Amino acid sequence: MFFLSWRQLLARKRQTTLILLGISFGTLLYVTISGIQLGMRSYISERLLNNTAHVLISGAERMIDPDEVTHALYKEKTVRWELAPYGKRENSRLQNYASWQERLRQDPEVLDFAPRLSTQAILSNGSFTESVNLIGTVPDRQIKITTIESYIREGSFRALNGGVASIVIGSGVAKDLGARIGTYINVSSGNSNTKPFKVVGISHFGNENIDKAMAFAELSHVQSLTKSPGRVTEIAVALFDIEKSAEKAAEWKLVGTEKVQDWQEANKNFMEMIRVQDYTRYFITFSILIVAAFGIYNVLSIMINQKKKEIAILRAIGYGPEKILELVLYQGLLLGVAGGVLGLFMGYLLCRLIGSIDLGIELGSSRSLLVSYDPEIYLVAFFAANTASIIASLLPARAASRMTPMDIIRSE
């Protein structure tokens, strides 16, 4: 039956070729779109996760509640505010850092954690100034939970461990300030406290918004600069298994009043963008394969009508309904396999071509569009092509299997 199916497909070369191209085109589009989307997603995720904690524990912001103020000052009296008090009650900070430290040390699923103090600071070198987000951290621990050291273009992140107040600045900040390794720059936290810091490292993330707005220093020096000894605003936690981030965040939320976020919750907009991309990719591919499936259905239906006499002869010489069903299904399967393989090959070549184009922009270590060649993409594409082909050939196959020689002679 396989050989006969093949012969019948070859007998109608033009229609068979068009259907093959339809299936191939659908498979090609899925492979190409998925490769580009997943390639860029991997790049963004790598940049995001390399410098984002798996779980971030931060002090909850306590806002002023007018009702609480009214009750505290005026007890049960009725007060109408001309301008109600508003704003933060105090700067955010972890109220019980010691207990969190002990809890994280004893948790077997925690790889390591780094206490941090984030503050806005003004860096100045001569007459040039830059406003940055200054992060005070413990260098050895920060290196363990992120890949920050791989983004250091000059100097070393570990040099922050020295006794001298030191700082690592972004490449954009260094360029604007005219600072180099060894340069002393003045750092102010906005409370009239200015302190000289030695530049011991220059980082480059490839993102201008980060390279011109971020700096790192040793935690105790930032605490001294902000006149807040012992203050910690957040704890960055790295787990052995990143897939457990949401689970651990949910568990730790029950412990205290601190704000606990896993990396997906902290980057909600990015995750929503990923979901939209997935929906778009699946919709496009599904639409194309539906069109290809209708083409297969039409070709097989026409072929059955044109080959009624041959079907009648096969039934007359002893071929049962199941053999006729098998004959038509083989044709659908052949179209699916051939179209799928051709589409995978064409999609791979197109991805290679797209991946070789110089975009003129820096994407990590490459200047070309990043494309994923994950085997799962090709397996899903091949499975979808064959599924669409088999489903489309099922109805014509059942119709052909129900034909009897007598019915065919009467219809003629």
Side-chain angles (χ1 to χ4, degrees), residues 1 4 310-324 327 401 403 405:
M1 300 307 291
L4 185 58
E310 294 183 14
I311 294 173
I313 294 171
L314 291 173
R315 291 299 308 275
I317 62 176
Y319 283 87
E322 69 281 353
K323 288 295 183 181
I324 304 301
L327 172 70
S401 67
M403 291 181 180

Side-chain angles (χ1 to χ4, degrees), residues 41-101:
R41 181 188 303 179
S42 298
Y43 168 76
I44 296 173
S45 297
E46 179 185 355
R47 290 303 177 98
L48 188 67
L49 289 177
N50 282 349
N51 300 287
T52 302
H54 295 171
V55 179
L56 186 66
I57 304 169
S58 55
E61 293 183 345
R62 301 178 63 194
M63 308 300 291
I64 294 175
D65 186 344
D67 293 335
E68 289 184 4
V69 175
T70 301
H71 180 72
L73 296 179
Y74 302 101
K75 303 301 179 184
E76 302 301 328
K77 294 181 181 179
T78 301
V79 175
R80 180 179 177 274
W81 293 94
E82 290 290 338
L83 180 62
Y86 62 93
K88 294 182 180 179
R89 295 183 62 178
E90 59 186 4
N91 291 327
S92 61
R93 63 180 297 164
L94 287 175
Q95 299 297 326
N96 53 349
Y97 169 64
S99 64
W100 276 110
Q101 187 177 30

Side-chain angles (χ1 to χ4, degrees), residues 268-280:
K268 188 176 180 180
N269 291 337
F270 173 67
M271 300 307 297
E272 289 179 350
M273 179 186 70
I274 286 178
R275 281 193 288 270
V276 170
Q277 287 181 345
D278 286 339
Y279 294 149
T280 304

Side-chain angles (χ1 to χ4, degrees), residues 18-176:
L18 289 175
I19 295 305
L20 277 175
L21 289 177
I23 298 172
S24 301
F25 184 64
T27 308
L28 176 147
L29 269 184
Y30 181 84
V31 169
T32 306
I33 294 173
S34 298
I36 294 173
Q37 286 187 347
L38 295 181
M40 289 305 300
R41 181 188 303 179
S42 298
Y43 168 76
I44 296 173
S45 297
E46 179 185 355
R47 290 303 177 98
L48 188 67
L49 289 177
N50 282 349
N51 300 287
T52 302
H54 295 171
V55 179
L56 186 66
I57 304 169
S58 55
E61 293 183 345
R62 301 178 63 194
M63 308 300 291
I64 294 175
D65 186 344
D67 293 335
E68 289 184 4
V69 175
T70 301
H71 180 72
L73 296 179
Y74 302 101
K75 303 301 179 184
E76 302 301 328
K77 294 181 181 179
T78 301
V79 175
R80 180 179 177 274
W81 293 94
E82 290 290 338
L83 180 62
Y86 62 93
K88 294 182 180 179
R89 295 183 62 178
E90 59 186 4
N91 291 327
S92 61
R93 63 180 297 164
L94 287 175
Q95 299 297 326
N96 53 349
Y97 169 64
S99 64
W100 276 110
Q101 187 177 30
E102 187 64 24
R103 183 178 297 109
L104 294 174
R105 280 177 178 170
Q106 294 178 359
D107 196 319
E109 294 180 353
V110 173
L111 172 64
D112 207 342
F113 63 93
R116 301 196 301 209
L117 170 58
S118 298
T119 184
Q120 293 299 311
I122 297 175
L123 313 185
S124 60
N125 184 28
S127 59
F128 302 105
T129 61
E130 283 292 321
S131 177
V132 300
N133 179 32
L134 179 61
I135 300 176
T137 186
V138 179
D140 290 336
R141 289 193 163 182
Q142 186 72 19
I143 290 171
K144 286 183 180 180
I145 66 171
T146 67
T147 57
I148 178 66
E149 204 169 29
S150 64
Y151 294 100
I152 301 299
R153 174 180 285 180
E154 299 177 45
S156 169
F157 196 82
R158 292 182 184 275
L160 293 175
N161 283 319
V164 178
S166 306
I167 191 170
V168 171
I169 58 178
S171 56
V173 177
K175 182 179 179 181
D176 291 342

Side-chain angles (χ1 to χ4, degrees), residues 165-271:
S166 306
I167 191 170
V168 171
I169 58 178
S171 56
V173 177
K175 182 179 179 181
D176 291 342
L177 292 180
R180 299 186 178 90
I181 299 297
T183 301
Y184 279 86
I185 60 177
N186 291 319
V187 181
S188 171
S189 63
N191 57 4
S192 302
N193 185 26
T194 302
K195 187 176 180 180
F197 279 69
K198 180 182 179 182
V199 177
V200 295
I202 297 176
S203 62
H204 181 72
F205 293 94
N207 185 325
E208 185 176 355
N209 293 330
I210 296 177
D211 292 332
K212 297 189 71 171
M214 184 173 289
F216 294 89
E218 205 277 328
L219 178 61
S220 61
H221 293 301
V222 177
Q223 290 172 338
S224 174
L225 177 71
T226 57
K227 296 180 179 179
S228 53
R231 182 184 169 207
V232 173
T233 57
E234 60 191 25
I235 305 175
V237 184
L239 305 175
F240 285 102
D241 184 2
I242 191 175
E243 298 297 329
K244 294 185 177 181
S245 298
E247 178 186 334
K248 295 304 294 184
E251 176 187 328
W252 291 335
K253 282 179 181 179
L254 303 175
V255 174
T257 60
E258 282 75 12
K259 183 179 180 181
V260 183
Q261 287 184 308
D262 65 278
W263 70 274
Q264 294 186 37
E265 185 181 356
N267 299 280
K268 188 176 180 180
N269 291 337
F270 173 67
M271 300 307 297

